[in-house]
Amino acid sequence: MHHNLKAIPESFKPLWDGKLTHQNRYGDRPFAEGDTVTFHEGNIVAGTFTPTGRTISAEISCITKYALLSGWVGLSLKRIGLTPTADFLEAPHGL
């Protein structure tokens, strides 16, 4: 399954720069190991998410709930920067 996720610049830039290989996210989706994700960078202006147009995709390699607040999950990522395919661009879990 593929997930499209919003990301503010402060959390997007370390992924883009290759310095970050994980994300803590609210577990409001059925994340699973092997799923792919595309992070869409954007700014929040007047309470509205405004995309910048930059995206980066990856594969979820591990999911943990260790030492996180209730409802949150830690996503370990691999293959960061993978090229999206038509199959997962039409994913049911959009922005």
Side-chain angles (χ1 to χ4, degrees), residues 68-85:
L68 295 173
L69 294 174
S70 178
W72 287 77
V73 296
L75 305 177
S76 294
L77 305 171
K78 66 180 182 180
R79 297 176 52 210
I80 297 171
L82 67 87
T83 303
T85 65

Side-chain angles (χ1 to χ4, degrees), residues 36-52:
T36 53
V37 293
T38 296
F39 296 96
H40 298 264
E41 181 188 41
N43 297 295
I44 299 176
V45 179
T48 302
F49 183 80
T50 306
T52 64

